Amino acid sequence: MPSHVVVVGASAAGLSAAEALRNKGYDGGLTLVGDERHLPYDRPPLTKQVLSGAWQPERVRLRDEHAIGKLSADLLLGRTAVGLDTAAHQLLLDGGDRIRFDALVIATGVSPRRLPGDVLAGIHTVRTLDDALSLRAALLTQPRVVVVGAGFLGAEAAAVARGMGLDVTLVDPLPVPMHRQFGDRIGELVGRLHSDHGVALRMGVGVARFVGAAGRVIAVELADGTVLDADVVVVAVGSTPAVGWLYDSGIPLGDGVECDATCQAAPGIYAAGDVASWHNPHFRTRMRVEHRLNATEQGMAVAANLLGAEETFAPVPYFWSDQYDARIQAYGIFPQGADITVLHGDLASRKFVAAYGERGTVVGVLGWNSPRELRKLRQLVVDHAPWPVEPQQQQKERQAS
Protein backbone atom coordinates (compact mmCIF):
# COMPACT_ATOMS: atom_id res chain seq x y z
CA MET A 1 0.00 0.00 0.00
CA PRO A 2 1.39 3.46 -0.89
CA SER A 3 2.55 5.64 1.98
CA HIS A 4 1.68 8.93 0.24
CA VAL A 5 -0.95 9.53 -2.44
CA VAL A 6 -1.16 12.82 -4.33
CA VAL A 7 -4.35 13.75 -6.18
CA VAL A 8 -3.96 16.53 -8.76
CA GLY A 9 -7.31 18.15 -9.36
CA ALA A 10 -9.78 19.13 -6.63
CA SER A 11 -13.06 18.84 -8.49
CA ALA A 12 -15.52 15.93 -8.61
CA ALA A 13 -13.11 13.22 -9.79
CA GLY A 14 -10.25 14.21 -7.50
CA LEU A 15 -12.47 14.58 -4.45
CA SER A 16 -14.16 11.27 -5.20
CA ALA A 17 -10.79 9.52 -5.39
CA ALA A 18 -9.63 11.07 -2.12
CA GLU A 19 -12.84 10.18 -0.26
CA ALA A 20 -12.88 6.65 -1.64
CA LEU A 21 -9.31 6.09 -0.47
CA ARG A 22 -10.25 7.02 3.09
CA ASN A 23 -13.51 5.07 2.96
CA LYS A 24 -11.57 1.96 1.91
CA GLY A 25 -9.31 2.24 4.93
CA TYR A 26 -6.28 4.02 3.46
CA ASP A 27 -4.62 5.85 6.36
CA GLY A 28 -1.42 7.04 4.70
CA GLY A 29 -0.43 10.51 3.58
CA LEU A 30 -2.86 12.24 1.23
CA THR A 31 -2.43 15.52 -0.65
CA LEU A 32 -5.16 17.13 -2.75
CA VAL A 33 -4.02 19.86 -5.15
CA GLY A 34 -6.44 22.28 -6.86
CA ASP A 35 -5.70 25.21 -9.13
CA GLU A 36 -8.74 27.18 -7.91
CA ARG A 37 -9.10 28.74 -4.48
CA HIS A 38 -12.64 27.43 -4.00
CA LEU A 39 -13.43 24.27 -2.07
CA PRO A 40 -14.38 21.42 -4.45
CA TYR A 41 -17.65 22.23 -6.21
CA ASP A 42 -20.08 20.84 -8.76
CA ARG A 43 -19.77 22.07 -12.33
CA PRO A 44 -23.06 21.11 -14.10
CA PRO A 45 -25.09 23.78 -12.24
CA LEU A 46 -22.77 26.53 -13.52
CA THR A 47 -24.58 26.93 -16.84
CA LYS A 48 -27.98 26.24 -15.30
CA GLN A 49 -28.83 27.21 -11.71
CA VAL A 50 -25.82 29.46 -11.01
CA LEU A 51 -26.04 31.33 -14.31
CA SER A 52 -29.77 31.86 -13.91
CA GLY A 53 -29.40 33.01 -10.32
CA ALA A 54 -31.57 30.20 -8.94
CA TRP A 55 -28.68 29.04 -6.75
CA GLN A 56 -26.25 31.02 -4.65
CA PRO A 57 -22.59 30.10 -5.28
CA GLU A 58 -22.22 28.31 -1.93
CA ARG A 59 -24.81 25.74 -2.99
CA VAL A 60 -22.52 24.15 -5.57
CA ARG A 61 -19.96 23.08 -2.96
CA LEU A 62 -19.53 19.32 -2.97
CA ARG A 63 -18.42 19.27 0.69
CA ASP A 64 -18.17 21.82 3.46
CA GLU A 65 -14.99 22.61 5.37
CA HIS A 66 -15.83 20.09 8.10
CA ALA A 67 -16.21 17.22 5.62
CA ILE A 68 -13.00 18.20 3.85
CA GLY A 69 -11.21 18.30 7.18
CA LYS A 70 -12.28 14.72 7.94
CA LEU A 71 -10.18 13.56 4.97
CA SER A 72 -7.03 14.39 6.97
CA ALA A 73 -5.47 15.56 3.71
CA ASP A 74 -3.09 18.37 2.88
CA LEU A 75 -5.37 20.60 0.81
CA LEU A 76 -3.38 22.85 -1.53
CA LEU A 77 -5.80 25.24 -3.23
CA GLY A 78 -4.78 27.89 -5.72
CA ARG A 79 -1.75 25.81 -6.73
CA THR A 80 -1.07 24.67 -10.28
CA ALA A 81 0.78 21.52 -11.37
CA VAL A 82 3.49 22.50 -13.86
CA GLY A 83 5.41 19.25 -14.30
CA LEU A 84 5.84 15.64 -13.31
CA ASP A 85 9.09 13.79 -12.64
CA THR A 86 8.03 10.16 -12.91
CA ALA A 87 11.53 8.79 -12.20
CA ALA A 88 11.80 10.69 -8.92
CA HIS A 89 8.07 10.32 -8.12
CA GLN A 90 7.72 14.07 -7.70
CA LEU A 91 4.96 16.49 -8.64
CA LEU A 92 6.17 19.98 -9.59
CA LEU A 93 4.03 22.95 -8.57
CA ASP A 94 4.07 26.61 -9.53
CA GLY A 95 6.51 28.47 -7.34
CA GLY A 96 9.04 25.65 -7.50
CA ASP A 97 7.64 23.32 -4.84
CA ARG A 98 8.01 19.57 -5.30
CA ILE A 99 5.81 16.95 -3.65
CA ARG A 100 6.96 13.37 -3.49
CA PHE A 101 4.39 10.60 -4.00
CA ASP A 102 4.15 6.84 -4.04
CA ALA A 103 0.94 6.94 -6.07
CA LEU A 104 -0.59 9.71 -8.15
CA VAL A 105 -4.12 10.42 -9.38
CA ILE A 106 -4.38 12.82 -12.33
CA ALA A 107 -7.78 14.55 -12.30
CA THR A 108 -7.02 17.92 -13.87
CA GLY A 109 -10.08 17.98 -16.12
CA VAL A 110 -10.28 20.09 -19.25
CA SER A 111 -9.74 23.65 -20.43
CA PRO A 112 -12.11 25.58 -22.73
CA ARG A 113 -11.12 25.81 -26.37
CA ARG A 114 -10.52 29.36 -27.51
CA LEU A 115 -11.11 31.13 -30.79
CA PRO A 116 -8.75 33.65 -32.44
CA GLY A 117 -9.39 37.13 -31.13
CA ASP A 118 -11.60 36.12 -28.20
CA VAL A 119 -9.59 38.23 -25.75
CA LEU A 120 -11.87 41.26 -26.01
CA ALA A 121 -13.80 42.34 -22.94
CA GLY A 122 -17.33 40.97 -23.05
CA ILE A 123 -16.26 37.58 -24.43
CA HIS A 124 -16.77 34.78 -21.92
CA THR A 125 -16.02 31.10 -21.53
CA VAL A 126 -17.59 29.05 -18.74
CA ARG A 127 -15.50 26.43 -16.99
CA THR A 128 -15.16 27.69 -13.43
CA LEU A 129 -17.45 29.12 -10.79
CA ASP A 130 -15.82 32.50 -11.24
CA ASP A 131 -16.50 32.28 -14.99
CA ALA A 132 -20.19 31.62 -14.37
CA LEU A 133 -20.51 34.47 -11.87
CA SER A 134 -18.76 36.86 -14.24
CA LEU A 135 -21.09 35.90 -17.08
CA ARG A 136 -24.16 36.23 -14.87
CA ALA A 137 -23.13 39.74 -13.86
CA ALA A 138 -22.78 40.61 -17.54
CA LEU A 139 -26.20 39.16 -18.41
CA LEU A 140 -27.85 41.29 -15.73
CA THR A 141 -26.94 44.40 -17.76
CA GLN A 142 -29.53 43.36 -20.40
CA PRO A 143 -27.04 42.84 -23.24
CA ARG A 144 -27.48 41.46 -26.75
CA VAL A 145 -26.01 37.97 -26.51
CA VAL A 146 -24.32 35.79 -29.10
CA VAL A 147 -23.49 32.22 -28.09
CA VAL A 148 -20.87 30.57 -30.28
CA GLY A 149 -21.14 26.79 -30.07
CA ALA A 150 -24.39 24.83 -29.77
CA GLY A 151 -23.27 21.81 -27.75
CA PHE A 152 -24.28 21.12 -24.15
CA LEU A 153 -22.78 24.23 -22.59
CA GLY A 154 -23.72 26.64 -25.38
CA ALA A 155 -27.30 25.42 -25.66
CA GLU A 156 -27.78 25.62 -21.89
CA ALA A 157 -26.28 29.10 -21.68
CA ALA A 158 -28.51 30.28 -24.54
CA ALA A 159 -31.56 28.85 -22.77
CA VAL A 160 -30.71 30.67 -19.52
CA ALA A 161 -30.04 33.97 -21.28
CA ARG A 162 -33.28 33.72 -23.23
CA GLY A 163 -35.12 32.85 -20.00
CA MET A 164 -33.85 36.19 -18.66
CA GLY A 165 -35.60 37.90 -21.56
CA LEU A 166 -32.43 38.70 -23.50
CA ASP A 167 -31.89 38.94 -27.25
CA VAL A 168 -29.97 35.73 -28.00
CA THR A 169 -28.40 34.33 -31.16
CA LEU A 170 -26.95 30.81 -31.21
CA VAL A 171 -24.20 30.16 -33.78
CA ASP A 172 -22.60 26.88 -34.85
CA PRO A 173 -20.87 25.66 -38.03
CA LEU A 174 -22.77 22.36 -37.82
CA PRO A 175 -26.27 22.07 -39.31
CA VAL A 176 -28.21 21.68 -36.03
CA PRO A 177 -27.57 22.20 -32.30
CA MET A 178 -26.03 19.28 -30.39
CA HIS A 179 -25.16 17.56 -33.66
CA ARG A 180 -21.92 16.11 -32.27
CA GLN A 181 -23.71 14.79 -29.23
CA PHE A 182 -26.86 13.26 -30.73
CA GLY A 183 -26.94 13.64 -34.53
CA ASP A 184 -29.41 15.29 -36.90
CA ARG A 185 -32.82 14.09 -35.69
CA ILE A 186 -32.44 15.07 -32.05
CA GLY A 187 -30.43 18.14 -33.04
CA GLU A 188 -33.32 19.37 -35.19
CA LEU A 189 -35.63 19.01 -32.21
CA VAL A 190 -33.23 20.97 -29.98
CA GLY A 191 -33.15 23.67 -32.65
CA ARG A 192 -36.94 23.90 -32.75
CA LEU A 193 -37.00 24.09 -28.95
CA HIS A 194 -34.74 27.14 -29.02
CA SER A 195 -36.58 28.73 -31.93
CA ASP A 196 -39.89 28.29 -30.13
CA HIS A 197 -38.45 30.24 -27.21
CA GLY A 198 -37.24 33.09 -29.40
CA VAL A 199 -33.56 32.28 -29.91
CA ALA A 200 -32.23 33.23 -33.34
CA LEU A 201 -30.37 30.27 -34.84
CA ARG A 202 -27.46 30.65 -37.24
CA MET A 203 -26.53 27.05 -37.98
CA GLY A 204 -24.10 25.88 -40.63
CA VAL A 205 -21.90 28.95 -40.45
CA GLY A 206 -18.77 29.66 -38.42
CA VAL A 207 -17.24 32.78 -36.92
CA ALA A 208 -14.87 34.83 -39.08
CA ARG A 209 -13.83 37.30 -36.40
CA PHE A 210 -14.85 39.27 -33.35
CA VAL A 211 -15.33 43.00 -33.87
CA GLY A 212 -14.18 45.26 -31.07
CA ALA A 213 -14.09 48.92 -30.11
CA ALA A 214 -11.99 50.33 -27.29
CA GLY A 215 -11.01 46.81 -26.31
CA ARG A 216 -14.58 45.54 -25.98
CA VAL A 217 -16.60 43.27 -28.25
CA ILE A 218 -19.36 44.98 -30.22
CA ALA A 219 -20.16 42.40 -32.89
CA VAL A 220 -19.47 38.94 -34.28
CA GLU A 221 -18.76 38.61 -37.99
CA LEU A 222 -19.75 35.25 -39.45
CA ALA A 223 -18.03 33.39 -42.27
CA ASP A 224 -20.84 34.34 -44.69
CA GLY A 225 -20.29 38.06 -44.02
CA THR A 226 -23.22 38.53 -41.65
CA VAL A 227 -22.48 40.82 -38.72
CA LEU A 228 -24.28 40.17 -35.43
CA ASP A 229 -24.33 43.03 -32.95
CA ALA A 230 -23.29 41.78 -29.52
CA ASP A 231 -22.58 43.18 -26.08
CA VAL A 232 -21.82 39.75 -24.59
CA VAL A 233 -20.41 36.72 -26.40
CA VAL A 234 -20.25 33.23 -24.90
CA VAL A 235 -17.67 30.99 -26.55
CA ALA A 236 -18.61 27.35 -26.01
CA VAL A 237 -16.71 25.47 -28.72
CA GLY A 238 -15.61 22.48 -26.70
CA SER A 239 -12.66 21.74 -24.49
CA THR A 240 -9.25 20.10 -24.44
CA PRO A 241 -7.79 17.83 -21.74
CA ALA A 242 -5.62 19.76 -19.28
CA VAL A 243 -2.40 17.81 -19.93
CA GLY A 244 0.07 20.53 -20.93
CA TRP A 245 1.96 20.06 -17.67
CA LEU A 246 2.57 16.40 -18.58
CA TYR A 247 4.20 16.81 -22.01
CA ASP A 248 7.74 16.04 -20.79
CA SER A 249 6.73 13.43 -18.22
CA GLY A 250 6.67 10.29 -20.33
CA ILE A 251 3.00 9.70 -19.44
CA PRO A 252 1.15 8.49 -22.58
CA LEU A 253 -0.96 11.32 -23.97
CA GLY A 254 -3.47 11.40 -26.79
CA ASP A 255 -6.99 12.67 -26.30
CA GLY A 256 -6.20 13.04 -22.61
CA VAL A 257 -4.13 10.79 -20.37
CA GLU A 258 -4.15 7.40 -22.05
CA CYS A 259 -4.90 4.63 -19.56
CA ASP A 260 -5.62 0.94 -19.64
CA ALA A 261 -8.99 -0.55 -18.69
CA THR A 262 -8.15 -0.10 -14.98
CA CYS A 263 -7.48 3.63 -15.53
CA GLN A 264 -3.72 3.19 -14.97
CA ALA A 265 -1.45 5.30 -17.16
CA ALA A 266 1.89 4.14 -15.70
CA PRO A 267 2.94 2.13 -12.63
CA GLY A 268 1.32 3.84 -9.64
CA ILE A 269 -0.17 6.63 -11.78
CA TYR A 270 -3.89 6.74 -12.59
CA ALA A 271 -6.26 9.22 -14.23
CA ALA A 272 -9.92 9.99 -13.55
CA GLY A 273 -12.61 12.32 -14.85
CA ASP A 274 -12.64 14.50 -17.95
CA VAL A 275 -8.89 14.17 -18.50
CA ALA A 276 -8.85 10.35 -18.59
CA SER A 277 -8.88 8.34 -21.83
CA TRP A 278 -9.34 4.66 -21.15
CA HIS A 279 -10.46 1.47 -22.85
CA ASN A 280 -14.04 0.72 -21.81
CA PRO A 281 -14.55 -3.05 -22.18
CA HIS A 282 -18.34 -2.71 -22.24
CA PHE A 283 -18.27 -0.80 -25.52
CA ARG A 284 -14.99 -2.30 -26.73
CA THR A 285 -13.55 1.14 -27.45
CA ARG A 286 -11.34 3.83 -25.99
CA MET A 287 -13.28 6.81 -24.67
CA ARG A 288 -12.99 10.01 -22.71
CA VAL A 289 -16.17 11.17 -20.97
CA GLU A 290 -16.83 14.77 -19.90
CA HIS A 291 -19.79 14.12 -17.64
CA ARG A 292 -20.35 14.57 -13.93
CA LEU A 293 -21.39 11.07 -12.87
CA ASN A 294 -18.48 9.50 -14.72
CA ALA A 295 -16.05 11.72 -12.81
CA THR A 296 -17.37 10.45 -9.48
CA GLU A 297 -17.50 6.79 -10.51
CA GLN A 298 -14.07 6.87 -12.12
CA GLY A 299 -12.54 8.53 -9.07
CA MET A 300 -13.91 5.73 -6.91
CA ALA A 301 -12.66 3.06 -9.33
CA VAL A 302 -9.18 4.58 -9.41
CA ALA A 303 -9.02 4.60 -5.61
CA ALA A 304 -9.92 0.91 -5.50
CA ASN A 305 -7.37 -0.03 -8.14
CA LEU A 306 -4.67 2.09 -6.55
CA LEU A 307 -5.18 -0.03 -3.43
CA GLY A 308 -4.88 -3.27 -5.39
CA ALA A 309 -8.34 -4.13 -6.74
CA GLU A 310 -7.18 -4.31 -10.40
CA GLU A 311 -10.76 -4.12 -11.70
CA THR A 312 -11.69 -2.87 -15.15
CA PHE A 313 -13.78 0.29 -15.35
CA ALA A 314 -16.68 -0.45 -17.69
CA PRO A 315 -19.55 1.96 -17.00
CA VAL A 316 -22.56 2.84 -19.10
CA PRO A 317 -22.19 6.65 -19.05
CA TYR A 318 -25.15 8.75 -17.90
CA PHE A 319 -25.59 12.46 -18.55
CA TRP A 320 -28.30 15.07 -18.93
CA SER A 321 -29.09 18.58 -20.10
CA ASP A 322 -31.80 20.97 -18.89
CA GLN A 323 -33.05 23.51 -21.43
CA TYR A 324 -36.28 25.48 -20.83
CA ASP A 325 -38.91 22.85 -19.91
CA ALA A 326 -36.97 20.00 -21.52
CA ARG A 327 -34.85 17.50 -19.63
CA ILE A 328 -32.71 15.46 -22.02
CA GLN A 329 -31.18 12.39 -20.37
CA ALA A 330 -28.97 9.75 -21.92
CA TYR A 331 -27.29 6.45 -21.14
CA GLY A 332 -24.46 5.00 -23.23
CA ILE A 333 -22.62 6.37 -26.23
CA PHE A 334 -23.95 8.13 -29.32
CA PRO A 335 -21.56 7.64 -32.25
CA GLN A 336 -21.82 9.76 -35.37
CA GLY A 337 -23.68 7.83 -38.05
CA ALA A 338 -25.40 5.50 -35.57
CA ASP A 339 -28.87 4.21 -36.42
CA ILE A 340 -31.72 5.66 -34.36
CA THR A 341 -35.26 4.54 -33.64
CA VAL A 342 -37.96 5.82 -31.29
CA LEU A 343 -38.96 3.17 -28.73
CA HIS A 344 -41.47 5.10 -26.65
CA GLY A 345 -43.60 8.15 -27.44
CA ASP A 346 -42.85 10.30 -30.47
CA LEU A 347 -40.62 13.22 -31.37
CA ALA A 348 -43.55 15.51 -32.20
CA SER A 349 -44.87 15.33 -28.63
CA ARG A 350 -41.40 16.02 -27.20
CA LYS A 351 -41.87 13.14 -24.80
CA PHE A 352 -40.04 10.07 -26.02
CA VAL A 353 -37.19 7.61 -25.68
CA ALA A 354 -34.94 6.85 -28.65
CA ALA A 355 -32.33 4.11 -29.05
CA TYR A 356 -29.05 4.34 -30.94
CA GLY A 357 -27.52 1.31 -32.59
CA GLU A 358 -24.06 0.55 -33.96
CA ARG A 359 -22.41 -2.66 -35.13
CA GLY A 360 -25.51 -4.72 -34.45
CA THR A 361 -26.15 -3.69 -30.83
CA VAL A 362 -27.90 -0.95 -28.86
CA VAL A 363 -25.20 1.44 -27.65
CA GLY A 364 -27.28 4.33 -26.30
CA VAL A 365 -30.75 5.39 -25.21
CA LEU A 366 -31.94 9.00 -24.98
CA GLY A 367 -35.01 10.27 -23.17
CA TRP A 368 -36.74 13.61 -23.65
CA ASN A 369 -38.98 14.36 -20.67
CA SER A 370 -39.35 10.61 -20.12
CA PRO A 371 -37.25 9.69 -17.08
CA ARG A 372 -39.24 6.65 -15.97
CA GLU A 373 -39.31 5.00 -19.39
CA LEU A 374 -35.65 5.81 -19.96
CA ARG A 375 -34.56 4.08 -16.75
CA LYS A 376 -36.31 0.89 -17.89
CA LEU A 377 -34.83 1.00 -21.38
CA ARG A 378 -31.31 1.61 -20.09
CA GLN A 379 -31.10 -2.16 -19.71
CA LEU A 380 -30.88 -2.46 -23.51
CA VAL A 381 -27.46 -0.83 -23.36
CA VAL A 382 -26.37 -2.86 -20.36
CA ASP A 383 -27.38 -6.12 -22.06
CA HIS A 384 -25.86 -5.32 -25.48
CA ALA A 385 -29.35 -5.83 -26.93
CA PRO A 386 -29.28 -6.72 -30.63
CA TRP A 387 -30.10 -4.11 -33.24
CA PRO A 388 -32.62 -3.40 -34.68
CA VAL A 389 -34.68 -3.14 -31.51
CA GLU A 390 -38.46 -3.19 -31.73
CA PRO A 391 -40.38 -0.08 -30.60
CA GLN A 392 -42.69 -0.68 -27.64
CA GLN A 393 -45.88 -0.04 -29.63
CA GLN A 394 -44.90 -2.67 -32.19
CA GLN A 395 -44.16 -5.09 -29.35
CA LYS A 396 -47.64 -4.55 -27.89
CA GLU A 397 -49.34 -4.98 -31.28
CA ARG A 398 -47.40 -8.18 -31.98
CA GLN A 399 -48.13 -9.62 -28.55
CA ALA A 400 -51.86 -8.81 -28.93
CA SER A 401 -52.16 -10.49 -32.33
Side-chain angles (χ1 to χ4, degrees):
M1 183 175 292
S3 61
H4 188 196
V5 178
V6 174
V7 181
V8 191
S11 193
L15 178 63
S16 175
E19 289 184 329
L21 284 168
R22 291 305 193 208
N23 290 338
K24 292 179 180 297
Y26 175 70
D27 60 1
L30 180 61
T31 299
L32 184 61
V33 181
D35 62 358
E36 297 183 62
R37 295 190 179 277
H38 300 289
L39 289 174
Y41 62 86
D42 210 8
R43 294 188 190 275
L46 297 184
T47 51
K48 306 177 185 76
Q49 294 92 340
V50 172
L51 190 59
S52 70
W55 285 13
Q56 291 301 306
E58 295 77 15
R59 191 169 172 180
V60 299
R61 284 185 180 177
L62 291 169
R63 302 290 183 271
D64 59 21
E65 292 182 1
H66 176 70
I68 295 295
K70 289 176 66 176
L71 288 175
S72 298
D74 292 328
L75 182 62
L76 305 180
L77 297 180
R79 301 299 303 273
T80 302
V82 297
L84 180 64
D85 187 335
T86 53
H89 286 239
Q90 290 184 337
L91 174 71
L92 285 63
L93 299 181
D94 57 337
D97 291 338
R98 290 173 173 257
I99 303 176
R100 194 185 183 287
F101 60 85
D102 298 294
L104 180 75
V105 179
I106 299 169
T108 45
V110 294
S111 300
R113 284 198 177 97
R114 308 301 299 252
L115 292 176
D118 68 358
V119 296
L120 294 168
I123 299 179
H124 297 257
T125 59
V126 183
R127 172 62 184 169
T128 69
L129 176 59
D130 291 338
D131 292 339
L133 294 175
S134 174
L135 177 57
R136 172 158 176 77
L139 295 182
L140 290 174
T141 66
Q142 297 294 303
R144 296 163 297 182
V145 181
V146 173
V147 179
V148 180
F152 277 101
L153 191 153
E156 290 172 358
V160 169
R162 186 62 195 137
M164 296 172 69
L166 303 180
D167 179 357
V168 181
T169 302
L170 185 58
V171 178
D172 199 290
L174 295 175
V176 292
M178 302 189 79
H179 183 276
R180 287 191 179 90
Q181 289 77 25
F182 299 125
D184 287 331
R185 290 180 68 183
I186 303 303
E188 289 172 2
L189 193 59
V190 175
R192 289 200 295 273
L193 175 68
H194 281 272
S195 294
D196 290 349
H197 283 82
V199 172
L201 297 180
R202 291 305 313 269
M203 298 293 105
V205 59
V207 170
R209 67 186 183 103
F210 297 106
V211 182
R216 184 170 191 85
V217 68
I218 59 170
V220 179
E221 182 179 336
L222 304 183
D224 63 2
T226 302
V227 176
L228 306 173
D229 293 334
D231 307 299
V232 166
V233 174
V234 182
V235 175
V237 292
S239 56
T240 57
V243 296
W245 61 285
L246 293 169
Y247 283 151
D248 296 327
S249 67
I251 297 294
L253 303 176
D255 180 26
V257 176
E258 293 195 345
C259 306
D260 62 17
T262 69
C263 304
Q264 184 172 233
I269 299 177
Y270 294 79
D274 298 0
V275 76
S277 168
W278 87 103
H279 179 79
N280 185 331
H282 184 85
F283 296 100
R284 302 186 298 278
T285 189
R286 177 170 290 278
M287 61 174 58
R288 186 176 63 81
V289 178
E290 294 184 23
H291 297 300
R292 170 67 174 81
L293 185 59
N294 181 77
T296 298
E297 292 180 342
Q298 200 164 25
M300 295 171 64
V302 160
N305 288 335
L306 191 153
L307 297 178
E310 297 185 0
E311 296 176 352
T312 60
F313 182 59
V316 172
Y318 167 72
F319 49 98
W320 73 95
S321 179
D322 295 325
Q323 299 172 40
Y324 309 106
D325 59 351
R327 164 153 278 209
I328 305 168
Q329 298 167 283
Y331 291 98
I333 61 174
F334 301 83
Q336 291 295 306
D339 297 317
I340 180 173
T341 188
V342 175
L343 300 180
H344 169 82
D346 61 87
L347 271 63
S349 69
R350 298 186 185 178
K351 185 177 177 62
F352 64 88
V353 178
Y356 287 66
E358 183 186 52
R359 295 184 293 184
T361 62
V362 177
V363 296
V365 287
L366 177 145
W368 189 299
N369 288 340
S370 300
R372 181 179 301 176
E373 294 81 4
L374 179 68
R375 283 194 296 271
K376 297 176 183 176
L377 292 168
R378 171 187 180 273
Q379 197 64 33
L380 295 171
V381 185
V382 174
D383 293 341
H384 298 286
W387 187 272
V389 61
E390 191 175 35
Q392 289 184 337
Q393 184 59 37
Q394 292 181 15
Q395 291 181 26
K396 293 177 182 177
E397 292 173 353
R398 177 173 51 77
Q399 292 167 0
S401 62

